[in-house]
Amino acid sequence: MINFAKSFILFNANTPPQSRVAICDLFGVQECSNHGKYLGAPSLIGCNKADVFAYVKEKACRRMFGWRNKNISRAGKEVLLKSVIQAVPSYMMSVFLLPLSLCDELERMMSSFWWEKERQK
């Protein structure tokens, strides 16, 4: 059973406005203008995946930035990286094929955090 009051429809950019209105009226649904996110994942992905998934990198970066000023042992860093940072993109990776550039950037950030204090000694 479909609840048409809660349903939205998405049209291709090439669909004429008259057809959009006719279809929306026929089914009694609204046209979707804001695609938003579903379960934290973008509902639509365009051509530039790097921009769509940039928030995954930003989220990981914010988490690591909060730990930078703390004196954390090697074991503590390993636990933080494995349990927190690697968990950030895991859901997105199970649903979407992430761009290699994003994966490389995440690896670069993690290795920079891992070796940070050792370089300063």
Side-chain angles (χ1 to χ4, degrees):
M1 187 75 156
I2 298 174
N3 186 347
F4 290 105
K6 293 182 180 180
S7 299
F8 292 90
I9 191 166
L10 177 67
F11 292 103
N12 185 315
N14 298 330
T15 307
Q18 303 86 356
S19 299
R20 292 177 184 212
V21 172
I23 293 170
C24 287
D25 290 342
L26 176 68
F27 290 111
V29 295
Q30 298 175 5
E31 182 177 353
C32 179
S33 58
N34 182 6
H35 308 297
K37 294 183 178 183
Y38 178 71
L39 296 177
S43 56
L44 283 180
I45 298 175
C47 295
N48 195 349
K49 289 183 180 180
D51 288 344
V52 173
F53 295 114
Y55 72 93
V56 173
K57 178 184 148 195
E58 291 169 9
K59 190 174 182 180
C61 187
R62 276 185 280 143
R63 296 252 174 117
M64 281 191 282
F65 186 75
W67 303 329
R68 289 204 188 270
N69 296 330
K70 297 180 180 170
N71 192 13
I72 302 172
S73 68
R74 294 293 261 184
K77 281 185 177 184
E78 182 180 6
V79 169
L80 287 172
L81 286 173
K82 287 184 176 178
S83 65
V84 179
I85 298 303
Q86 289 180 351
V88 169
S90 64
Y91 174 69
M92 293 301 145
M93 293 173 97
S94 68
V95 178
F96 301 105
L97 183 62
L98 295 182
L100 287 177
S101 60
L102 176 64
C103 296
D104 292 341
E105 187 64 30
L106 287 172
E107 277 186 43
R108 202 171 305 123
M109 288 169 33
M110 287 189 292
S111 63
S112 172
F113 176 75
W114 176 259
W115 296 107
E116 187 174 61
K117 294 288 181 184
E118 230 173 70
R119 283 192 208 127
Q120 294 174 358
K121 289 182 181 178

